[in-house]
Amino acid sequence: MAKPLYPSHLLFFLSVVLLCFHHTQQSQSQSQQWQSLVEIQKLLNYPSALSSIKYTRRGRGLCSIEPTPSLTLACYQGNITQLHITGNNEFPPLPSDFSSHSFFASIAQLPSLKVVSLTCLGLWGPIPPTIAQLSSLEILNVSTNYLSGTIPLQISSLRNLQTLILDHNKFTGQVPAWLSSLRVLSVLSLNNNWLNGSLPYSFSSLQTLRVVSLSHNYLSGEVPDLTNLTNLQVLDLEDNYFGPHFPSLPNKLVKLVLRKNKFRLGIQTTLDSSSWFQLQKLDISLNGFVGPFMPSLLSLPSINYLDIGGNKFTGVLFKNMSCNAELAFVNLSSNLLTGELPDCVKKTRISLYTQNCLANEDQDQYPSNMCHNEALAVQIPPSKEEHKRHYAKQVVASSAVGGIVGAIALVGLIFVAVKRSNGNQTTKNPRTRFITDTVSAVNTAKLLSDAKYISETMKMGASLPAYRTFSLEELKEATNNFDDSTLLGEGSDGQVYRGELPDGTLVAIRGMKMRKRHNPQVYTHLIELISKLRHSHLVSALGHCLEFHPDDSSVSRLFLISEFVPNGTLRGCISEAPPGRKLTWAQRIVAAIGVAKGIQFLHTGIVPGVKSINLKIKNVLMDHDLHVKISNYSLALLAENRGMVGTSAASPSPKGSFQARVKHECKNDVHDFGVILLEIILGRPIMFQNEVGVLKDLLEGALSIQQCTRSAQMNH
């Protein structure tokens, strides 16, 4: 007969069952976490720096992995709560089929994560909606990658999020208004992206913010009233288009950087020196501030860095003015200051005061009469370079394919291209070609009637809006009446502006002044031809606009509207990018093939083709997926068909038969393509034509040595 179970025995039995159940659950959890980390390792192309994950016996010991500069895990009760992965030279290029959706889906399989830091990994693509599954997340740092698209709405569901760092990526769109729903957010850092528009007014309700850093974007407009952000200590808005009024700010700031914006007014009333007792760094340089300089800024209680350079501050300085004893850096340069430099400024570790009207100073000064108050009316212009945005801000977001075979093919291509172009060693000076007064519309019409379009091209352009005619009023509205803040670049062929259409589409608008007067019919066929040139490796035209002279209705300006490609130039990704952000060999091969396909389409997509396009690496742009897109080819087309704008060409066409001219123009493009290939391989900018031959010889020599070494190894 079985003995009855006493309460103490029953309690012990239940405890053992619960303990076994907990142990089983914990083992299953650790195994799932291990599988997620192994999948992350696979998606990152098995970097050796993460090899410790593989050898933890299916999750056992995950939480005891020793931290390294590349990988740090932290756990609580067996669950991973912190994941830090930082890329370095031990990380190979991401595979060509990398998917940000799959990557973040694997991250989401670790639901207990509170801290996620994924930096310098070369991640590309958008942040997918699965980010919302990390409901416990408190810190998200994905800086120094190539992530793109808008900042996803799903981040707003992360109610515990305290730190959001998205620096050095390719995010576009506006700073989202839903950020105000993150009630415990204290650090917001969105530096070095492609964000545009103004800051939402809801921004001022984020009272928990301590750090706001939005530098190096395309943000504009007035800064909302931030006086309610009583915890704010750091505000960095450098290199945007904010202004013109100085923002209303809380008085506990420690660091304030407004450098290189469009602020001009209100600083004297807003910047009350008696209230800024914690401010250590103040940088308001390269704006357009006017009015009297406030000497009290030199003696703020905590100030150690003051930069007001590149403004139009006026006033008289005296030798006996006082400064904070901790002041280490002062820049008063390029203002309208008179008098004598204070002795306390001279004693600072670094003091800059050139281009004022100060007496008896060693740094360059203007005559005193130039800095009188009436000089403000002269509107001394700052350097145009400070206010221009080049049509290629450095950017990269990539998808990579290829390998050793592609690299060998790339080397072969460059020698075919350069050798073909070196058949004639005489130096060819570029010249500007202009339209003659008479243009044959019949020949252009025949071009259109004979045009052959590759079927693939129509598929590639299907996602783009239909080509149409724009009104001048639409363009003014899209660019805020061609405001300087929308100017992307300027050259001999006109200005390029960034515009935003009513549906939110970003476009590039190139305005070109006509050098000769022609009636609108002269332009019709050429514009129609440009409208048909759509290919995945060309910056496609979306429309045009004609502006007329009021006296005779001839065309005074031609506007070409094209798709906006925000991710920089091929040179910016090859030879001007920092070491950790340059394209890999596989990515360079993809880019080179894309340029070749674009040239091939221009040569063969229509009859007789668009040739001699004066191709430069700075005119090869890159989209979010690292598809290269050739720009400026329409200028060559206008010139080639006796267009109406002055356009530089690679070299003058030789006289003679039609076949000789076509052969010469093809040779120009082959040469230009060879120079681009040379820069892709060597990874350094080629600025002068005479560098090409020298660098080609160096590359040939290096390849010869490498071939000899390989042969010797095979013989042994």
Side-chain angles (χ1 to χ4, degrees):
M1 183 176 177
K3 293 182 180 180
L5 286 174
Y6 295 101
S8 58
H9 296 157
L10 183 61
L11 183 62
F12 175 76
F13 176 75
L14 289 176
S15 299
V16 170
V17 170
L18 288 173
L19 184 63
C20 292
F21 178 74
H22 175 73
H23 179 74
T24 302
Q25 274 199 325
Q26 191 175 50
S27 299
Q28 290 176 347
S29 174
Q30 289 179 345
S31 178
Q32 290 172 355
Q33 291 179 123
W34 179 81
Q35 289 174 355
S36 297
L37 290 175
V38 169
E39 181 65 18
I40 292 169
Q41 185 184 24
K42 174 185 174 183
L43 292 170
L44 292 177
N45 212 2
Y46 299 104
S48 59
L50 304 185
S51 58
S52 56
I53 295 174
K54 185 178 179 180
Y55 302 109
T56 54
R57 299 180 60 189
R58 299 192 63 83
R60 297 176 185 175
L62 269 180
C63 297
S64 59
I65 292 178
E66 286 293 323
T68 69
S70 297
L71 175 66
T72 299
L73 298 176
C75 299
Y76 179 73
Q77 294 184 348
N79 295 316
I80 298 176
T81 57
Q82 294 189 31
L83 173 63
H84 303 259
I85 304 177
T86 302
N88 55 30
N89 294 332
E90 298 180 30
F91 280 66
L94 296 183
S96 58
D97 59 350
F98 174 81
S99 166
S100 62
H101 289 78
S102 300
F103 183 79
F104 279 95
S106 299
I107 299 289
Q109 295 303 310
L110 303 170
S112 299
L113 281 173
K114 294 181 180 293
V115 178
V116 172
S117 178
L118 308 166
T119 61
C120 304
L121 298 176
L123 307 176
W124 70 75
I127 296 180
T130 49
I131 192 69
Q133 297 178 26
L134 299 173
S135 57
S136 300
L137 201 60
E138 296 176 0
I139 297 175
L140 175 61
N141 180 5
V142 292
S143 60
T144 318
N145 287 290
Y146 307 124
L147 296 169
S148 57
T150 58
I151 300 174
L153 172 64
Q154 288 75 15
I155 290 180
S156 64
S157 64
L158 305 178
R159 300 301 182 183
N160 298 314
L161 194 64
Q162 300 174 25
T163 298
L164 178 61
I165 303 176
L166 308 179
D167 298 345
H168 294 277
N169 280 286
K170 307 302 172 190
F171 290 108
T172 55
Q174 298 186 343
V175 175
W178 50 255
L179 284 173
S180 59
S181 64
L182 301 175
R183 292 299 181 184
V184 294
L185 188 67
S186 62
V187 176
L188 176 65
S189 191
L190 309 177
N191 300 320
N192 290 87
N193 281 284
W194 288 83
L195 302 172
N196 57 55
S198 57
L199 290 181
Y201 286 104
S202 58
F203 204 79
S204 58
S205 64
L206 278 167
Q207 297 186 12
T208 54
L209 278 175
R210 292 187 297 105
V211 176
V212 174
S213 194
L214 308 175
S215 65
H216 303 288
N217 281 284
Y218 290 95
L219 301 168
S220 58
E222 301 286 4
V223 177
D225 187 339
L226 303 180
T227 51
N228 288 333
L229 306 186
T230 53
N231 295 304
L232 191 63
Q233 296 179 355
V234 175
L235 178 63
D236 186 352
L237 304 181
E238 178 180 353
D239 194 12
N240 282 285
Y241 294 101
F242 289 117
H245 291 89
F246 191 86
S248 298
L249 302 170
N251 58 14
K252 292 184 180 179
L253 282 172
V254 175
K255 175 183 175 181
L256 175 60
V257 180
L258 303 180
R259 174 184 171 87
K260 201 176 179 184
N261 277 276
K262 293 190 173 295
F263 294 111
R264 294 189 301 111
L265 308 169
I267 186 170
Q268 288 80 9
T269 57
T270 306
L271 199 57
D272 182 4
S273 57
S274 62
S275 302
W276 295 77
F277 52 89
Q278 295 184 11
L279 190 63
Q280 297 177 12
K281 178 176 181 177
L282 174 62
D283 187 347
I284 55 174
S285 59
L286 300 177
N287 281 281
F289 286 114
V290 297
F293 168 65
M294 296 173 291
S296 57
L297 296 179
L298 295 167
S299 57
L300 289 174
S302 304
I303 196 74
N304 57 48
Y305 184 108
L306 175 65
D307 192 344
I308 66 163
N311 288 288
K312 297 178 184 177
F313 285 116
T314 59
V316 181
L317 301 183
F318 300 97
K319 294 186 66 174
N320 60 353
M321 284 180 172
S322 60
C323 303
N324 188 309
E326 300 298 321
L327 194 59
F329 178 95
V330 179
N331 182 14
L332 308 177
S333 302
S334 301
N335 281 283
L336 302 172
L337 301 173
T338 60
E340 297 182 89
L341 189 70
D343 289 336
C344 61
V345 172
K346 293 181 180 180
K347 294 176 182 178
T348 58
R349 194 186 323 161
I350 299 175
S351 58
L352 306 172
Y353 45 87
T354 185
Q355 295 182 348
N356 282 284
C357 299
L358 300 172
N360 303 319
E361 297 303 337
D362 53 351
Q363 297 185 17
D364 292 340
Q365 301 295 314
Y366 293 124
S368 59
N369 60 353
M370 185 175 177
C371 294
H372 290 164
N373 287 338
E374 59 265 29
L376 289 175
V378 178
Q379 294 294 318
I380 301 171
S383 169
K384 287 186 178 180
E385 293 302 318
E386 293 296 340
H387 295 285
K388 285 182 185 176
R389 293 284 184 167
H390 296 294
Y391 188 36
K393 187 175 180 182
Q394 306 299 327
V395 210
V396 182
S398 72
S399 59
V401 294
I404 296 175
V405 175
I408 295 172
L410 182 60
V411 174
L413 278 173
I414 184 169
F415 289 112
V416 171
V418 175
K419 286 182 178 179
R420 284 183 61 183
S421 67
N422 284 346
N424 183 357
Q425 293 296 328
T426 58
T427 303
K428 300 171 183 179
N429 296 322
R431 68 177 179 88
T432 302
R433 297 189 291 180
F434 298 93
I435 179 63
T436 59
D437 287 335
T438 57
V439 178
S440 171
V442 175
N443 291 338
T444 308
K446 187 175 186 303
L447 269 179
L448 288 170
S449 64
D450 291 343
K452 298 186 303 181
Y453 303 108
I454 299 173
S455 59
E456 177 189 14
T457 303
M458 302 310 293
K459 298 176 184 177
M460 291 173 176
S463 61
L464 293 170
Y467 188 95
R468 69 182 180 90
T469 301
F470 288 80
S471 68
L472 185 58
E473 288 69 25
E474 285 182 283
L475 302 188
K476 287 181 177 179
E477 182 178 353
T479 60
N480 194 17
N481 200 21
F482 298 104
D483 186 77
D484 285 347
S485 64
T486 65
L487 182 64
L488 295 170
E490 186 173 8
S492 59
D493 44 43
Q495 297 83 27
V496 180
Y497 294 87
R498 184 189 75 251
E500 183 173 354
L501 303 181
D503 63 355
T505 302
L506 291 178
V507 295
I509 302 170
R510 181 183 295 276
M512 297 170 285
K513 289 184 178 180
M514 300 299 101
R515 306 197 180 241
K516 294 184 180 292
R517 295 195 174 196
H518 297 282
N519 61 52
Q521 287 72 27
V522 172
Y523 299 85
T524 303
H525 299 298
L526 290 174
I527 288 172
E528 185 176 352
L529 183 58
I530 291 172
S531 72
K532 298 294 193 292
L533 289 172
R534 290 197 168 187
H535 189 273
S536 65
H537 294 297
L538 300 180
V539 176
S540 298
L542 304 179
H544 72 276
C545 172
L546 299 177
E547 187 179 11
F548 302 98
H549 287 288
D551 50 353
D552 59 1
S553 297
S554 62
V555 176
S556 61
R557 278 201 297 179
L558 168 64
F559 294 93
L560 290 179
I561 296 89
S562 60
E563 59 178 318
F564 182 69
V565 185
N567 279 352
T569 66
L570 179 57
R571 169 171 286 171
C573 304
I574 296 291
S575 56
E576 294 180 348
R581 303 187 66 167
K582 290 184 178 180
L583 297 189
T584 63
W585 279 112
Q587 294 166 336
R588 296 184 194 196
I589 293 170
V590 173
I593 293 172
V595 175
K597 286 183 176 180
I599 296 173
Q600 180 190 33
F601 174 73
L602 289 172
H603 283 197
T604 62
I606 62 173
V607 176
V610 181
K611 303 180 180 70
S612 195
I613 61 174
N614 194 25
L615 183 64
K616 306 294 182 187
I617 194 170
K618 64 183 181 181
N619 293 332
V620 179
L621 309 181
M622 312 194 78
D623 69 7
H624 292 302
D625 300 316
L626 200 68
H627 289 139
V628 295
K629 288 178 175 285
I630 299 172
S631 67
N632 288 6
Y633 61 87
S634 57
L635 302 179
L637 183 62
L638 287 169
E640 185 59 38
N641 290 278
R642 293 184 173 84
M644 290 67 198
V645 295
T647 307
S648 59
S651 62
S653 298
K655 295 181 180 179
S657 65
F658 172 78
Q659 290 80 5
R661 182 174 65 84
V662 170
K663 184 177 180 181
H664 172 81
E665 292 170 344
C666 287
K667 192 173 181 181
N668 286 341
D669 289 338
V670 170
H671 173 271
D672 292 341
F673 182 48
V675 174
I676 290 176
L677 286 174
L678 190 60
E679 186 163 330
I680 287 175
I681 292 175
L682 297 177
R684 53 158 289 182
I686 300 174
M687 309 304 293
F688 303 102
Q689 182 62 32
N690 58 11
E691 291 183 271
V692 175
V694 176
L695 294 174
K696 179 178 74 71
D697 292 340
L698 287 174
L699 183 59
E700 284 180 328
L703 290 173
S704 298
I705 294 172
Q706 187 179 28
Q707 183 63 36
C708 292
T709 303
R710 287 180 178 176
S711 299
Q713 290 174 345
M714 292 177 65
N715 293 333
H716 286 290

